[in-house]
């Protein structure tokens, strides 16, 4: 096995023992990671290996916000939190707060605070995001939804349903208008107009260009309890606005996407289109393994209610024409112009 082959195997195995030995960078996202990073598995042809953080940065890559490769070994606190993240990602039964704090040698309250400061999410929300990601990954691979649920580390399917709403399984929850859900919301100004952002405790559930504010949330989630933004959401709104004003690769926010299984596959595929690239509806249909479903794909794109975060603006007609955009073709053009500039300056 060559060195690169061995390194690639370590990445596939998320080998914790290789952290600090090398880092890998993903050309399509512009991000570099520790071998153990839990982020989505990249394709081999898009991965480069580097010995040091400095080399990766020099080559134009940015440090992953999840595994913090640029902070590896720099602070005992960061290392302790990284271990906690790995446990949450890798253990069959994710440990509870008490256990995590004990392993870290901190009190639960202090651990919670440090975790939040370093990771940007509370341990609970982080664990939810990990589980949700696993389930989504497994749903794509498993022929049986039940197997996928168990593979993702859920002890029962009812817990999976409770955790995820009905994501990937059926859109029942959302059709019921968000009954029993708390939806936090915020509005903000971007260069392309005012935005409204909504989030459940699982993640962001709505981003729209709109001046209607709270009223828009009421239309989407008439039965949910609406509350003003908390600190989590406020931070995420800042990231979304900066993504609109100055797009960059590697935006990674917890999302609470709910639609039919088909819609969710389309929305997932949209998130895989790299910044600065566009695809046609037919290409997107091929990407989800249903090459004849271009029309259904177009309709799923039109139902996206996570503007920019789920980049449906990167889909154009086969002829290269822009085609429609839920939030206005001018805005679509503006977003694509900004992104093509980023792509050029990165080169
Ligand atoms: Zn990473």
């Amino acid at each position: 096995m060559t060195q690169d082959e061995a390194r690639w195997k370590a990445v596939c195995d998320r080998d914790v023992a290789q952290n600090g030995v090398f880092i890998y960078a993903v050309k399509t996202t512009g991000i570099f990671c520790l071998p153990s990073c839990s982020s989505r598995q990249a394709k081999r042809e898009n991965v480069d290996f580097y010995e040091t953080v400095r080399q990766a940065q020099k080559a134009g890559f940015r440090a992953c916000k999840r595994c913090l490769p640029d902070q590896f070994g720099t602070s005992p606190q960061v290392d302790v939190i990284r271990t906690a993240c790995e446990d949450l990602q890798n253990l069959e039964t994710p440990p509870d707060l008490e256990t995590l704090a004990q392993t870290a040698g901190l009190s639960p309250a202090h651990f919670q605070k440090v975790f939040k400061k370093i990771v940007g999410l509370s341990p609970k929300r982080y664990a939810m995001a990990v589980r949700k990601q696993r389930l989504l990954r497994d749903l794509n691979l498993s022929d049986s939804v039940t197997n996928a649920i168990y593979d993702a580390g859920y002890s029962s399917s009812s817990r999976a349903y409770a955790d995820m709403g009905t994501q990937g399984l059926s859109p029942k929850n959302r059709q019921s208008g968000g009954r029993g859900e708390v939806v936090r919301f915020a509005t903000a100004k971007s260069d392309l107009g005012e935005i409204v952002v909504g989030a459940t405790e699982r993640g962001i559930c709505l981003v729209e260009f709109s001046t209607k504010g709270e009223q828009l949330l009421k239309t989407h989630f008439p039965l949910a309890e609406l509350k003003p933004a908390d600190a989590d959401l406020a931070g995420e709104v800042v990231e979304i606005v900066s993504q609109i004003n100055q797009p960059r690769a590697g935006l990674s926010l917890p999302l609470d996407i709910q639609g039919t299984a088909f819609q969710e596959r389309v929305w997932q595929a949209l998130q895989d289109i790299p910044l600065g690239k566009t695809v046609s509806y037919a290409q997107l249909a091929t990407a989800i393994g249903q090459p004849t479903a271009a029309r259904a794909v177009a309709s799923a794109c039109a139902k996206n209610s996570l503007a920019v975060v789920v980049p449906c603006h990167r889909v154009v007609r086969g002829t290269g024409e822009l085609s429609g955009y839920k939030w206005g073709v001018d805005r679509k053009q503006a977003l694509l112009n900004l992104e093509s500039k980023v792509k050029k300056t990165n080169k």
Side-chain angles (χ1 to χ4, degrees), residues 36-160:
S36 72
C37 183
S38 66
S39 60
R40 173 198 299 272
Q41 174 92 60
K43 289 203 180 101
R44 175 66 188 93
E45 69 258 33
N46 297 328
V47 169
D48 282 338
F49 298 106
Y50 294 93
E51 310 269 330
T52 65
V53 166
R54 187 178 288 260
Q55 286 168 358
Q57 284 170 336
K58 252 185 148 174
F61 293 97
R62 290 185 311 115
C64 170
K65 283 192 180 158
R66 199 168 298 174
C67 65
L68 304 174
D70 52 338
Q71 291 175 43
F72 184 77
T74 54
S75 134
Q77 225 177 30
V78 169
D79 289 344
V80 155
I81 298 302
R82 189 199 323 281
T83 308
C85 291
E86 278 159 9
D87 286 352
L88 286 170
Q89 281 150 20
N90 302 331
L91 295 182
E92 288 281 306
T93 317
D96 59 12
L97 180 63
E98 293 274 301
T99 317
L100 288 168
Q102 208 170 25
T103 312
L106 301 171
S107 75
H110 189 207
F111 173 82
Q112 175 120 339
K113 213 167 136 195
V114 174
F115 190 99
K116 181 87 193 283
K117 193 173 137 230
I118 292 175
V119 180
L121 296 173
S122 66
K124 186 179 161 202
R125 201 150 154 181
Y126 184 86
M128 278 178 169
V130 167
R131 258 206 308 227
K132 195 159 116 179
Q133 249 176 8
R134 269 199 228 171
L135 181 50
L136 280 180
R137 192 187 66 212
D138 294 345
L139 278 172
N140 293 335
L141 300 174
S142 168
D143 1 315
S144 138
V145 168
T146 315
N147 279 346
I149 287 171
Y150 288 103
D151 289 349
Y154 287 93
S155 54
S156 75
S157 57
S158 61
R159 196 158 138 223

Side-chain angles (χ1 to χ4, degrees), residues 173-199:
N173 210 34
R174 275 298 138 75
Q175 278 174 0
S176 70
R179 189 194 310 273
E181 285 192 288
V182 173
V183 176
R184 295 189 181 273
F185 73 93
T187 58
K189 288 203 165 62
S190 79
D191 289 351
L192 299 181
E194 200 165 304
I195 58 166
V196 183
V197 181

